[in-house]
Amino acid sequence: PVCFSIEKEKFEIFNIGSDQQYKPDIVNGLCYDSFGDLWFGTSESGLIRYSKKTILKSFVYDAEDKTSVTQGWAHRIIENKDGTVWVFTSTGFNLLDTGNQTIVPYSYQSVLPGFEYRWFVAEQKPGEFLFETNRGYILFNSKNKTYTSANLDPMLDSLHIFAVYND
C-alpha cells in the first residue's frame, strides 16, 4: 500500500506489518486546492485534509451533528474557479468552508427526492452540477436548490459517464 508521510511530506510504500496503529483505507478521491491543502476522500475515514500549516484533520459523518459530512464514501472532491471546495459522497454532497473548516451538507434525499440513483459527473458552471440518475441526466443548481433535466447528445445519453473534467 501507499501512504502519505506527514513527517517527510511525501507518498511512500508502507509495510502494514510495521505499524500496529495503521488502519488501512481506500482513497477514492484527491484534490490539491489553491490554498495548498491536499484533500483525501476515503471509504472508511471520511474526508481528510492535509495542510502544511496543521496536522491532518478528518471530517467524519456523525448522525447527531447536522453539520457533519454526509454519510458514505467520499468519491469526488473538486475546487471550482471561485475557490469553493465540494465533496461528493455516496449519500450527498458537501460545501467546504476552508477558512473556518466547516461543512454545509446536502443529502441527496433532501435535494433530489425521488431519485434512486445519483452519481456526480461534472460541474457545468459554479454551483451547477450534472448528475446521472435513474431518470436520466439532471442539472442541480446549488444556489436555489432546483434541478432540471439535462439534454445530452443522444450518443452520450446512452453511456454511463463517471466524470468529466475541464482543463
Side-chain angles (χ1 to χ4, degrees):
V2 176
C3 71
F4 185 78
S5 169
I6 296 171
E7 295 82 27
K8 298 177 184 176
E9 296 187 358
K10 68 177 186 174
F11 287 94
E12 55 189 25
I13 303 298
F14 186 78
N15 180 357
I16 293 176
S18 69
D19 186 347
Q20 298 301 317
Q21 296 178 356
Y22 175 72
K23 179 184 170 194
D25 202 349
I26 297 172
V27 174
N28 300 298
L30 284 172
C31 178
Y32 184 73
D33 69 22
S34 61
F35 300 101
D37 295 329
L38 183 60
W39 296 90
F40 302 83
T42 71
S43 295
E44 299 293 325
S45 302
L47 177 67
I48 299 172
R49 178 183 66 96
Y50 171 75
S51 172
K52 289 184 180 183
K53 300 175 269 256
T54 63
I55 301 298
L56 287 175
K57 175 162 176 61
S58 180
F59 297 86
V60 180
Y61 173 73
D62 179 354
E64 304 297 317
D65 182 1
K66 300 298 181 201
T67 63
S68 73
V69 67
T70 54
Q71 186 176 13
W73 50 280
H75 60 85
R76 191 79 183 274
I77 306 163
I78 63 167
E79 178 184 18
N80 62 19
K81 290 182 173 132
D82 67 3
T84 303
V85 176
W86 293 90
V87 178
F88 295 84
T89 72
S90 52
T91 63
F93 51 100
N94 306 269
L95 170 62
L96 287 154
D97 182 333
T98 55
N100 63 18
Q101 300 300 301
T102 58
I103 292 179
V104 178
Y106 298 92
S107 74
Y108 288 135
Q109 289 177 343
S110 66
V111 297
L112 298 173
F115 290 91
E116 296 170 18
Y117 172 81
R118 307 153 202 99
W119 185 264
F120 171 77
V121 175
E123 183 178 41
Q124 295 296 98
K125 300 177 198 170
E128 185 177 83
F129 305 121
L130 178 66
F131 287 93
E132 180 181 1
T133 74
N134 58 308
R135 295 194 218 157
Y137 289 92
I138 61 158
L139 283 173
F140 177 77
N141 185 310
S142 65
K143 291 178 178 54
N144 60 22
K145 315 277 186 304
T146 59
Y147 59 87
T148 57
S149 180
N151 296 318
L152 301 181
D153 180 287
M155 187 172 70
L156 293 176
D157 211 15
S158 65
L159 300 174
H160 178 69
I161 302 171
F162 285 101
V164 174
Y165 293 95
N166 297 327
D167 65 10

